[in-house]
Amino acid sequence: MTNNDVFKKLRVALMLRDDDIVDILKLVDFNISKSELGAFFRKEDHPNYRECGDQVLRNFLNGLVIHLRGTKENPTTPGEVLSKKVVKKAKAVHSKRPDFKTQQQKRVNNDITNVKYKNKKKS
């Protein structure tokens, strides 16, 4: 199993986005761009694929420890950090879009009145 595989599996298991990973790496003063990060998650036969080095994975794991456990001055429990993330995602999913009926009612122009036609269709 390569470093890229470990990195991918941690990303999926912890439900991390690229922004989250960049922030975690900044906790240990390791700066990386989203495009460089995306190269680690590509397939091996892709032209922009890049091997994840030991240094990147080591810094990510050290940053992950700080992210989940906190610092000595401000400790947190990993369960709290992960549960907050799940709650935020659940709220974001429900608050993104209103239901279909509400959207349709917003589109209706209330300034137009009903029109009475002079020539009714003969049956």
Side-chain angles (χ1 to χ4, degrees):
M1 183 178 271
T2 65
N3 287 347
N4 292 56
D5 295 333
V6 173
F7 208 179
K8 286 178 193 176
K9 290 185 183 292
L10 285 171
R11 177 186 185 201
V12 171
L14 298 172
M15 297 180 291
L16 297 173
R17 297 175 56 203
D18 289 342
D19 299 334
D20 301 330
I21 295 172
V22 169
D23 292 339
I24 288 171
L25 286 168
K26 284 182 182 178
L27 292 173
V28 289
D29 298 325
F30 190 83
N31 294 324
I32 192 168
S33 68
K34 287 184 188 178
S35 58
E36 288 176 306
L37 192 61
F40 297 138
F41 302 121
R42 297 185 188 278
K43 291 186 177 182
E44 291 182 15
D45 58 348
H46 194 279
N48 293 335
Y49 172 79
R50 187 169 155 207
E51 284 284 330
C52 179
D54 293 336
Q55 182 182 12
V56 176
L57 187 60
R58 177 174 36 90
N59 282 312
F60 173 71
L61 292 173
N62 288 334
L64 190 61
V65 168
I66 294 171
H67 175 71
L68 294 176
R69 293 186 191 166
T71 59
K72 286 184 181 180
E73 296 83 25
N74 189 13
T76 59
T77 59
E80 291 175 3
V81 175
L82 294 175
S83 65
K84 286 180 186 176
K85 185 173 194 128
V86 171
V87 170
K88 283 182 185 177
K89 284 190 176 188
K91 286 183 181 178
V93 169
H94 293 296
S95 64
K96 275 187 179 180
R97 295 181 68 180
D99 63 331
F100 181 77
K101 190 172 184 179
T102 308
Q103 288 179 347
Q104 293 299 319
Q105 288 174 346
K106 287 181 182 179
R107 291 182 185 172
V108 172
N109 188 354
N110 293 330
D111 296 335
I112 300 174
T113 59
N114 292 338
V115 178
K116 294 183 179 179
Y117 295 100
K118 291 181 181 177
N119 300 330
K120 292 186 179 181
K121 187 176 181 182
K122 296 180 181 179
S123 52

